[in-house]
Amino acid sequence: MRQVFERIVADPDLHWATMNLYYYSEYHGAEGIAALARQVEATNPQLAEALVHHADDEFRHAAMIADIMTDLGDVPRPPLGIKYVDEFAALATASTDPDRIDEVELLAALNVTEKRGLFSFALHVSTLPRESKAFKLLNQVKNEEAGHVRWGNQYLAELKANGREAEVRRAQAKFEVIEKAAYETSLDIMPGAPIRRMRRIVEVARQLPAERQIPYVVEQFFRAADPRPVFGARWQLVETILSSARLREQVSADVQRILAGQPLASDSLLGRLVADARRAVESLWRPQAQAA
């Protein structure tokens, strides 16, 4: 993973695109947390106050990331494709009781997404020049995300100590599956992506009570079957290649090798994409082959 971030940081266009995804997640995540704070204000004012502070942090993080993006050459704009924060929200919301906000589930959901953010920011920061503005700002974001994770861990530990350990463990297990599904879906633009997305949805459904599993899968099927987000993500990849001089050079060199009848290098851009597509197709058909 560190090598991936090293490549990203070395290319301003890729770096901007990555920061654009961060911005979207931080800003829209902050909106979601603020909405949750309003919902629990009447029943749990202490938690509501903590969530308001949390949302303020996330809005500030979005502004700091936007500052870095401006230095990279452009302002934030809505990314194409399936966004991690949106996919997580859709999977998580449908898995919970719409008539009430469960304190345990709310905290477990927040905690698992904060851990993902901390992991990504920590890797990203480790590849930035220490004297750079991007390092200083993103390192501050990383440190504050670590504080959010500690707060969530402590709150969940207190709930366990107060006799709700079984509830906490169930919620953590469910949202870990949901978070993994959302993360993988947000990155998956290879052939067979909709089918793999449905497999992840089924895995999430298995975390629910038996009577809710089939309705959950049916509800999510109609959302996941829409191919437009995947096509949008593929077009964004094309846009990124076209906007990056370094990537254009790599693609040009790969095309010349193809025209000359030479094999693609395994570490070239098109070589990696072809290998990813091959693995995706193989994984798509492997279950049928095994069944036969």
Side-chain angles (χ1 to χ4, degrees):
M1 283 292 290
R2 180 182 169 83
Q3 291 179 336
V4 172
F5 279 101
E6 287 174 347
R7 289 174 181 161
I8 288 170
V9 169
D11 187 314
D13 297 300
L14 282 179
H15 202 184
W16 179 91
T18 302
M19 299 302 293
N20 194 43
L21 291 173
Y22 289 165
Y23 175 86
Y24 186 92
S25 290
E26 292 292 307
Y27 189 87
H28 289 273
E31 289 184 323
I33 295 169
L36 289 171
R38 292 191 293 271
Q39 289 179 273
V40 302
E41 186 173 13
T43 57
N44 194 333
Q46 182 179 0
L47 177 58
E49 183 179 355
L51 291 174
V52 167
H53 179 71
H54 193 150
D56 288 343
D57 284 348
E58 303 295 356
F59 279 125
R60 185 163 43 78
H61 294 171
M64 294 162 71
I65 290 167
D67 191 7
I68 297 172
M69 293 175 68
T70 301
D71 290 345
L72 290 170
D74 203 354
V75 297
R77 59 175 183 261
L80 299 174
I82 298 170
K83 275 76 72 177
Y84 164 75
V85 66
D86 293 343
E87 184 70 5
F88 181 88
L91 293 172
T93 301
S95 77
T96 57
D97 186 343
D99 297 325
R100 70 185 185 95
I101 297 292
D102 184 277
E103 177 186 30
V104 171
E105 295 218 327
L106 185 158
L107 289 163
L110 272 180
N111 191 241
V112 74
T113 54
E114 293 290 356
K115 287 177 179 177
R116 174 68 68 183
L118 176 59
F119 174 77
S120 297
F121 288 135
L123 275 176
H124 197 146
V125 166
S126 71
T127 63
L128 291 168
R130 295 186 65 86
E131 69 280 1
S132 67
K133 177 180 175 181
F135 175 89
K136 294 172 183 175
L137 291 178
L138 209 58
N139 192 52
Q140 182 179 342
V141 171
K142 180 206 74 174
N143 291 337
E144 292 181 4
E145 295 291 357
H148 294 163
V149 171
R150 286 193 297 271
W151 170 78
N153 289 344
Q154 181 180 353
Y155 209 124
L156 289 168
E158 290 173 0
L159 290 172
K160 287 181 181 179
N162 291 331
R164 305 183 71 179
E165 181 170 359
E167 291 178 66
V168 171
R169 292 193 182 280
R170 280 196 302 271
Q172 287 177 318
K174 181 179 79 169
F175 286 108
E176 283 171 3
V177 174
I178 289 175
E179 194 281 330
K180 183 174 182 289
Y183 182 72
E184 291 178 353
T185 296
S186 71
L187 298 176
D188 191 356
I189 61 172
M190 292 293 113
I195 293 177
R196 287 189 296 278
R197 190 180 187 186
M198 282 306 305
R199 288 177 185 161
R200 297 181 194 113
I201 287 170
V202 171
E203 288 301 313
V204 173
R206 288 176 177 150
Q207 303 297 315
L208 306 180
E211 69 275 8
R212 294 180 56 196
Q213 292 180 6
I214 292 177
Y216 183 88
V217 172
V218 171
E219 177 185 345
Q220 294 299 312
F221 170 80
F222 291 104
R223 186 180 64 84
D226 184 354
R228 289 174 295 179
V230 175
F231 288 135
R234 289 172 182 166
W235 174 245
Q236 183 161 292
L237 176 62
V238 173
E239 280 190 325
T240 302
I241 291 172
L242 292 176
S243 66
S244 170
R246 180 173 301 188
L247 290 181
R248 286 200 305 273
E249 290 175 2
Q250 290 182 21
V251 171
S252 177
D254 287 344
V255 170
Q256 289 178 15
R257 292 181 69 87
I258 292 172
L259 294 176
Q262 299 173 347
L264 290 171
S266 60
D267 61 345
S268 68
L269 178 63
L270 291 186
R272 292 196 300 271
L273 289 175
V274 169
D276 287 344
R278 184 182 298 115
R279 284 193 295 270
V281 171
E282 288 174 352
S283 70
L284 180 62
W285 291 105
R286 190 174 295 120
Q288 287 86 334
Q290 290 174 347

